[in-house]
């Protein structure tokens, strides 16, 4: 973990670099929407350049970059995806493992490093180390000819590994990261690395199979309440809104939660231990689960055929929004309405939680309304479409009371007494 003194030294280096100071504001402003493009792009990569390999015991992110798969078209988009993951939590520290296996020149690595020139100072502060696996003399010599402050800092944080087993020398590298390593990086030391993590894999396999009950489903594959809402989401939103303090936490829906608690919460849902959900205390875990289900729905909550219609709107009106939403299938309309009414409640406390309609739209826009296929050949056009969709969702949140004049969020949620008891009784019968 980088100590504060080292971070301060990095800040001082940037503060004394005139070129960076001149561009700093632009760099910060460009990040917000560009990360939305990268976020959606990540859902359409079957064999990604970048692998998010989980968190260390100190809650630091680990990313694996597959240099072999790198192209001019994907390196920038996927690097922004990496940063979008770090944006979920303030001061998120991270490691990078760059797989240089089978690459003889420095061209791919130099393009990847050059992308960092567009990153604000805070990401250089939070970068722990970059490990280059199977580097060669050409890779190492590239730094000799670079003079920018960003590259100088990256050089100081770079470690070269000749053998994959050398990753065991670093405490951050655990079984979770080992399981994400691509097969083509194997060398003569790989068997030794593998032996360090031999154990009973059955428990992990079972958990992955159970997770299929929660994610990557069509909307009508979920179990529903009598109000037409997936039970798992209704329970979570009911819990979230039970106490106003739950939605007053600063950065709600943006903060990261610990994977161990995420798994515990998912297990309660898988096993239908609904009383545990209603008693669960960590609202960040609950908020992230709601977001994760929406992100991983097989099809968008807003049906695909309306995506371009929203993009083509010249201006928004209450009546036009009502006509559009009325066309959604019942299940989609019910869920969309509930999510918007929930976000309206959250936005009422924006002075405390810093999550007004604009920020909530950035977080939820692409979760609620995404295209059927991402146009990777035209990132700029996709960037513009996502920005416009976010503006539409912001309009819906800001005007929810007029768009849904006859509907209250209590119309969708479980009543605090009778219905919650019904689901708790169902839990007992399941046991």
């Amino acid at each position: 973990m980088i100590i504060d003194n080292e971070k301060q030294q990095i800040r001082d280096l940037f503060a004394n670099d005139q070129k960076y100071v001149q561009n700093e504001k632009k760099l910060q402003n460009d990040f917000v929407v560009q990360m939305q493009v990268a976020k959606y792009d990540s859902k359409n990569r079957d064999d990604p350049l970048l692998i998010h390999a989980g968190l260390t015991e100190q809650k630091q992110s680990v990313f694996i970059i597959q240099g072999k798969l790198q192209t001019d078209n994907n390196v920038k988009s996927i690097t922004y995806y990496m940063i979008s993951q770090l944006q979920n939590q303030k001061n998120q520290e991270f490691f990078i493992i760059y797989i240089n296996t089978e690459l003889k020149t420095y061209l791919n690595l130099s393009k990847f490093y050059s992308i960092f020139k567009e990153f604000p100072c805070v990401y250089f502060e939070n970068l722990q180390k970059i490990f280059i696996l199977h580097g060669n003399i050409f890779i190492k010599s590239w730094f000799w000819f670079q003079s920018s402050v960003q590259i100088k800092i990256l050089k100081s944080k770079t470690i070269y590994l000749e053998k994959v087993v050398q990753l065991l020398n670093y405490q951050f590298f655990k079984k979770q990261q080992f399981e994400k390593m691509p097969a083509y990086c194997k060398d003569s030391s790989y068997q030794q690395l593998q032996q360090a993590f031999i154990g009973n894999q059955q428990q992990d396999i079972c958990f992955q199979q159970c997770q299929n009950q929660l994610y990557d489903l069509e909307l009508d594959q979920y179990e529903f309440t009598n109000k037409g809402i997936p039970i798992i989401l209704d329970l979570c939103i009911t819990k979230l809104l039970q106490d106003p303090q739950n939605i007053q936490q600063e950065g709600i829906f943006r903060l990261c939660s610990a994977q161990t608690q995420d798994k515990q919460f998912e297990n309660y849902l898988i096993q239908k231990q609904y009383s545990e959900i209603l008693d669960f205390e960590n609202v960040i875990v609950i908020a992230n689960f709601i977001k994760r289900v929406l992100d991983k729905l097989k099809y968008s909550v807003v049906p695909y055929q309306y995506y371009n219609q929203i993009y083509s709107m010249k201006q928004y009106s209450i009546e036009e929004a009502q006509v559009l939403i009325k066309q959604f299938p019942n299940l989609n309309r019910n869920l969309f309405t509930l999510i918007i009414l929930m976000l309206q409640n959250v936005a009422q406390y924006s002075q405390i939680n810093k999550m007004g309609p604009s920020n909530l739209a950035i977080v939820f826009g692409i979760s609620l309304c995404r295209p059927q296929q991402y146009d990777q050949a035209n990132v700029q056009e996709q960037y513009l479409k996502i920005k416009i969709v976010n503006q539409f969702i912001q309009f819906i949140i800001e005007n929810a009371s007029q768009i849904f004049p006859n509907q209250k969020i209590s119309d969708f949620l479980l009543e605090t007494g009778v219905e919650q008891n019904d689901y708790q009784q169902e839990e007992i019968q399941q046991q």
Side-chain angles (χ1 to χ4, degrees), residues 291-305:
K291 181 77 167 49
R292 196 157 56 245
V293 170
L294 297 176
D295 283 341
K296 294 187 177 184
L297 275 176
K298 192 169 184 180
Y299 303 114
S300 175
V301 177
V302 175
Y304 294 131
Q305 61 264 36

Side-chain angles (χ1 to χ4, degrees), residues 336-389:
F336 182 82
T337 304
L338 173 58
I339 296 299
I340 292 298
L341 293 177
M342 176 192 73
L343 298 179
Q344 181 191 37
N345 274 262
V346 174
Q348 289 175 356
Y349 298 98
S350 61
Q351 292 297 320
I352 302 172
N353 59 32
K354 311 302 181 186
M355 296 298 289
S358 176
N359 285 337
L360 290 169
I362 289 172
V363 172
F364 277 88
I366 205 167
S367 301
L368 293 170
C369 182
R370 60 179 184 262
Q372 186 168 7
Q373 188 172 4
Y374 176 70
D375 184 8
Q376 296 189 18
N378 197 336
V379 173
Q380 288 301 320
E381 182 180 348
Q382 193 62 43
Y383 163 92
L384 179 60
K385 286 184 176 181
I386 290 175
K387 184 176 181 179
I388 291 174
V389 166

Side-chain angles (χ1 to χ4, degrees), residues 139-382:
I139 295 294
K140 297 174 183 178
S141 65
W142 178 74
F143 281 116
W144 300 346
F145 307 101
Q146 310 303 316
S147 59
S148 70
V149 62
Q150 293 95 331
I151 300 301
K152 286 180 179 178
I153 294 171
L154 292 177
K155 179 181 179 181
S156 69
K157 293 175 179 281
T158 296
I159 295 175
Y160 299 97
L161 303 178
E162 296 181 1
K163 299 289 185 180
V164 67
V165 73
Q166 291 176 281
L167 285 165
L168 290 176
N169 296 331
Y170 301 92
Q171 291 184 352
F172 81 93
F173 192 81
K174 302 295 184 184
K175 180 181 177 183
Q176 183 181 13
Q177 286 73 49
F178 164 72
E179 290 174 340
K180 297 288 187 178
M181 295 291 286
Y184 73 86
C185 75
K186 295 180 180 179
D187 56 31
S188 59
S189 71
Y190 184 81
Q191 187 174 0
Q192 184 180 350
L193 178 68
Q194 188 178 38
Q195 288 175 348
F197 297 105
I198 288 178
N200 185 5
Q201 306 291 322
Q202 192 61 38
Q203 184 176 357
D204 292 338
I205 294 172
C206 288
F207 181 77
Q208 185 63 42
Q209 290 172 341
C210 289
Q211 275 194 318
N212 293 337
Q213 301 173 27
L214 302 177
Y215 305 119
D216 302 313
L217 300 178
E218 297 181 28
L219 193 52
D220 60 5
Q221 291 180 292
Y222 286 97
E223 186 178 355
F224 287 85
T225 68
N226 58 8
K227 300 174 182 178
I229 301 295
I231 289 175
I232 59 174
L233 290 177
D234 209 326
L235 281 164
C236 292
I237 297 174
T238 296
K239 170 62 180 179
L240 204 62
L241 299 181
Q242 269 184 352
D243 185 344
Q245 289 188 351
N246 290 344
I247 55 176
Q248 292 178 28
Q249 291 203 30
E250 183 173 343
I252 189 169
F253 294 116
R254 274 187 165 173
L255 296 177
C256 285
S257 48
Q259 287 189 341
T260 52
Q261 287 199 305
D262 288 341
K263 285 187 176 182
Q264 181 187 28
F265 187 76
E266 289 170 346
N267 272 326
Y268 290 149
L269 288 166
I270 290 166
Q271 297 168 18
K272 297 189 176 182
Q273 295 181 349
Y274 297 136
S275 60
E276 298 290 349
I277 301 302
L278 295 170
D279 292 335
F280 203 81
E281 294 183 355
N282 191 328
V283 295
I284 299 302
V285 170
I286 299 172
N288 287 344
F289 176 77
I290 295 169
K291 181 77 167 49
R292 196 157 56 245
V293 170
L294 297 176
D295 283 341
K296 294 187 177 184
L297 275 176
K298 192 169 184 180
Y299 303 114
S300 175
V301 177
V302 175
Y304 294 131
Q305 61 264 36
Y306 301 110
Y307 182 83
N308 285 330
Q309 183 177 338
I310 292 171
Y311 169 63
S312 302
M313 288 181 177
K314 301 299 182 184
Q315 58 183 5
Y316 310 127
S317 69
I318 304 296
E319 295 75 16
E320 193 174 13
Q322 289 174 325
V323 170
L324 176 68
I325 296 168
K326 191 174 181 180
Q327 298 176 61
F328 297 174
N330 287 339
L331 294 179
N332 298 66
R333 185 170 62 250
N334 288 343
L335 182 56
F336 182 82
T337 304
L338 173 58
I339 296 299
I340 292 298
L341 293 177
M342 176 192 73
L343 298 179
Q344 181 191 37
N345 274 262
V346 174
Q348 289 175 356
Y349 298 98
S350 61
Q351 292 297 320
I352 302 172
N353 59 32
K354 311 302 181 186
M355 296 298 289
S358 176
N359 285 337
L360 290 169
I362 289 172
V363 172
F364 277 88
I366 205 167
S367 301
L368 293 170
C369 182
R370 60 179 184 262
Q372 186 168 7
Q373 188 172 4
Y374 176 70
D375 184 8
Q376 296 189 18
N378 197 336
V379 173
Q380 288 301 320
E381 182 180 348
Q382 193 62 43

Side-chain angles (χ1 to χ4, degrees), residues 11-179:
R11 293 188 202 111
D12 292 342
L13 284 172
F14 276 99
N16 293 324
D17 187 82
Q18 186 175 1
K19 186 175 180 180
Y20 175 81
V21 172
Q22 290 174 345
N23 293 324
E24 184 175 14
K25 187 173 181 180
K26 182 178 183 301
L27 290 175
Q28 298 282 0
N29 292 338
D30 285 349
F31 259 38
V32 175
V33 180
Q34 286 178 328
M35 284 188 297
Q36 296 296 309
V37 176
K39 172 186 171 184
Y40 185 79
D41 182 43
S42 71
K43 300 177 183 179
N44 294 275
R45 296 196 307 273
D46 295 327
D47 196 8
L49 163 65
L50 181 144
I51 300 170
H52 191 187
L55 300 176
T56 70
E57 294 176 353
Q58 287 74 37
K59 311 305 179 189
Q60 300 154 314
S61 290
V62 180
F63 298 99
I64 299 173
I65 308 294
Q66 300 193 67
K68 180 180 178 181
L69 305 181
Q70 188 174 313
T71 67
D72 289 341
N73 292 330
N74 68 12
V75 62
K76 183 171 182 177
S77 175
I78 298 178
T79 304
Y80 274 117
Y81 165 72
M82 175 183 71
I83 301 303
S84 74
Q85 302 304 299
L86 301 175
Q87 279 287 92
N88 291 329
Q89 184 167 328
K90 187 176 181 181
N91 295 325
Q92 177 68 45
E93 296 177 337
F94 63 104
F95 293 91
I96 294 174
I97 302 172
Y98 189 96
I99 309 297
N100 195 64
T101 311
E102 300 179 10
L103 298 175
K104 304 301 182 184
T105 71
Y106 58 75
L107 293 179
N108 280 11
L109 181 65
S110 65
K111 289 175 184 176
F112 174 71
Y113 272 132
S114 295
I115 293 297
F116 276 84
K117 292 181 179 179
E118 302 181 33
F119 293 165
C121 171
V122 65
Y123 298 106
F124 291 85
E125 295 174 28
N126 293 328
L127 172 62
Q128 303 293 288
K129 293 293 180 184
I130 298 180
F131 297 90
I132 300 180
L133 181 61
H134 300 146
N136 52 44
I137 185 61
F138 299 106
I139 295 294
K140 297 174 183 178
S141 65
W142 178 74
F143 281 116
W144 300 346
F145 307 101
Q146 310 303 316
S147 59
S148 70
V149 62
Q150 293 95 331
I151 300 301
K152 286 180 179 178
I153 294 171
L154 292 177
K155 179 181 179 181
S156 69
K157 293 175 179 281
T158 296
I159 295 175
Y160 299 97
L161 303 178
E162 296 181 1
K163 299 289 185 180
V164 67
V165 73
Q166 291 176 281
L167 285 165
L168 290 176
N169 296 331
Y170 301 92
Q171 291 184 352
F172 81 93
F173 192 81
K174 302 295 184 184
K175 180 181 177 183
Q176 183 181 13
Q177 286 73 49
F178 164 72
E179 290 174 340

